[in-house]
Amino acid sequence: MAPAASELKIGKKVNEGKTKEVYELPEIPGCVLMQSKDQITAGNAARKDRMEGKAAISNTTTSCVFELLQEAGVKTAFVRKHSDTAFIAAHCEMIPVEWVCRRIATGSFLKRNPGVKEGYKFYPPKIEMFYKDDANNDPQWSEEQLIEAKFCFGGLTIGQTEVDIMAHSTQAVFEILEKSWQPQNCTLVDLKSYRDLKEVTPEALQMVKKNFEWVAERVELLLKTKSQGRVVVLMGSPSDLSHCEKIKKACAAFGIPCELRVTSAHKGSDETLRIKAEYEGDGIPTVFVAVAGRSNGLGPVMSGNTAYPVVNCPPLSADWGAQDVWSSLRLPSGLGCPTTLSPEGAAQFAAQIFGLNNHLVWAKLRSSMLNTWISLKQADKKLRECTL
């Protein structure tokens, strides 16, 4: 366990950039302290000024964004916030490439692409990369240039697989942040109020500081949601409990509360409908999961008597599963309860519904997609290397 913030021993400075200093942490092997400065820069530090309080503003914004991504499941170097002006991160080697993702054409993109009107929207988002070279103003690079550079960091050579992973990660992170800002009626574009100043005056710097403070205040709201939702699993028999516990565990991974109930639509229809009414009456958006293997009556009865979503997740047996599943698949007209055999699939179905109005759930879904894509990409690379 890492030492508490007040007890943390700071080692020697290992690097310094325009806005941060990097220090060793002798008591936390493999980690460093990222200390922000009260400095604001633009144009590769061609313009820079001291701004009191900028370090705390930047650290709040950075830490909140990384906490959001980590909670979603995106792998980052961020460990935790240490103080008002510093955070702890893994000690990494930096690939000298800046990835840029845009939904809206504006700023430098318009200068590099004459003829494109400001406000043009990219579907999917536009991905670009720039080589980190202050002396040459960070020139734009192509994938081919990055691959041909044959960079090697930590024993890993940057090839096509790594470039593809970086590009997909960039898009996923952008989409998660874009979705997270939407509840605040904010469009994720960019923040260049300092760079665009025609003249730097105390009044102008104060305006820029207020803009950054506004972002820092709002970014903390990204970690919260006003949206409610729950999953209610109805099992036809206590013998189905282990199957239902898997659904509940998968729901927890998405941050969705899940309740388990026992009721039989065949043997206690009145009680099944009473339970349904109980959850309809409190106004909390609910997805019902019907778990009944032999002659599934729960799903169809629930679907025919509630406007809430219902999904079947029957625990099929090896002996009669092929026959029993038809009670979940062939339904009377007017019913709309889909069927999934996987407990995890039932939880994901619910998450996709709640994710429409809950950016935190949506972020977990998007991160899961990214991580699955990356694992397949890496597995393919490993297999090809073994074959070759």
Side-chain angles (χ1 to χ4, degrees):
M1 181 178 293
S6 59
E7 305 170 353
L8 194 63
K9 181 179 179 181
I10 310 299
K12 68 177 183 180
K13 184 192 295 185
V14 295
N15 208 340
E16 182 173 0
K18 296 184 284 289
T19 61
K20 289 182 180 65
E21 297 171 334
V22 184
Y23 292 91
E24 287 183 345
L25 295 175
E27 297 173 331
I28 313 179
C31 290
V32 293
L33 186 74
M34 305 291 290
Q35 176 67 54
S36 293
K37 303 179 185 178
D38 280 337
Q39 182 167 283
I40 186 169
T41 70
N44 290 323
R47 170 185 284 183
K48 60 182 178 180
D49 287 280
R50 175 176 171 77
M51 178 181 287
E52 191 72 31
K54 174 62 166 51
I57 295 170
S58 296
N59 192 55
T60 295
T61 303
T62 300
S63 296
C64 284
V65 168
F66 275 119
E67 286 170 14
L68 172 68
L69 294 175
Q70 279 200 330
E71 179 64 22
V74 177
K75 297 176 183 178
T76 75
F78 181 83
V79 175
R80 64 175 169 86
K81 186 177 180 180
H82 167 64
S83 67
D84 288 345
T85 60
F87 66 89
I88 298 172
H91 191 181
C92 304
E93 289 187 71
M94 186 188 78
I95 302 172
V97 173
E98 177 181 344
W99 289 84
V100 176
C101 191
R102 307 173 187 272
R103 177 72 73 188
I104 298 174
T106 188
S108 62
F109 182 88
L110 301 179
K111 296 177 182 178
R112 289 182 282 105
N113 296 271
V116 179
K117 293 183 179 180
E118 183 160 9
Y120 180 93
K121 289 193 172 182
F122 302 106
Y123 303 104
K126 186 75 171 178
I127 306 290
E128 300 176 294
M129 74 175 85
F130 298 85
Y131 178 55
K132 297 294 291 179
D133 181 1
D134 288 354
N136 291 298
N137 296 314
D138 297 347
Q140 185 174 5
W141 267 22
S142 65
E143 287 189 2
E144 292 76 16
Q145 285 175 290
L146 179 52
I147 293 170
E148 286 299 310
K150 293 182 172 56
F151 289 130
C152 184
F153 299 97
L156 178 67
T157 300
I158 306 303
Q160 186 66 61
T161 296
E162 290 68 35
V163 172
D164 291 344
I165 288 174
M166 286 188 279
H168 275 71
S169 299
T170 298
Q171 181 173 335
V173 167
F174 173 85
E175 290 175 350
I176 288 172
L177 294 177
E178 179 183 52
K179 186 77 170 181
S180 299
W181 279 106
Q182 286 176 357
Q184 301 185 55
N185 295 317
C186 291
T187 301
L188 184 61
V189 182
D190 206 343
L191 185 63
K192 300 292 187 182
S193 54
Y194 173 68
R195 185 187 68 181
D196 294 338
L197 289 179
K198 293 181 179 179
E199 183 181 359
V200 178
T201 64
E203 295 76 18
L205 285 177
Q206 189 61 29
M207 179 200 71
V208 172
K209 183 178 180 179
K210 286 184 178 180
N211 287 341
F212 281 115
E213 287 175 334
W214 183 90
V215 172
E217 290 170 3
R218 290 297 186 97
V219 80
E220 292 183 313
L221 299 178
L222 302 186
L223 303 175
K224 306 172 185 177
T225 179
K226 295 180 180 180
S227 177
Q228 291 182 298
R230 68 181 165 213
V231 170
V232 175
V233 180
L234 305 176
M235 68 187 87
S237 167
S239 62
D240 299 327
L241 181 60
S242 61
H243 188 80
C244 297
E245 290 284 4
K246 294 177 183 177
I247 298 174
K248 185 174 183 178
K249 181 179 179 181
C251 285
F254 289 112
I256 302 172
C258 179
E259 298 181 28
L260 307 183
R261 303 293 296 267
V262 180
T263 183
S264 170
H266 288 121
K267 304 170 186 176
S269 302
D270 58 336
E271 179 64 7
T272 298
L273 295 178
R274 188 202 66 76
I275 291 174
K276 171 197 72 75
E278 175 185 330
Y279 289 104
E280 288 176 325
D282 62 10
I284 299 176
T286 301
V287 173
F288 291 104
V289 180
V291 176
R294 184 191 304 175
S295 187
N296 177 17
L298 267 177
V301 167
M302 288 294 295
S303 182
N305 288 276
T306 183
Y308 284 0
V310 179
V311 57
N312 296 314
C313 188
L316 300 180
S317 66
D319 295 334
W320 292 96
Q323 289 76 29
D324 291 340
V325 73
W326 287 105
S327 63
S328 296
L329 298 176
R330 279 188 59 82
L331 308 176
S333 61
L335 303 186
C337 46
T339 297
T340 176
L341 303 182
S342 163
E344 294 76 18
Q348 183 169 335
F349 174 82
Q352 288 170 330
I353 292 175
F354 293 130
L356 295 172
N357 296 302
N358 185 325
H359 69 274
L360 297 179
V361 173
W362 191 92
K364 290 177 183 292
L365 288 164
R366 185 64 182 88
S367 174
S368 177
M369 290 169 53
L370 171 66
N371 292 333
T372 298
W373 190 93
I374 290 175
S375 66
L376 291 171
K377 190 77 175 178
Q378 291 175 331
D380 180 62
K381 177 187 176 183
K382 184 176 181 179
L383 179 61
R384 286 187 290 114
E385 289 175 343
C386 291
T387 304
L388 295 174

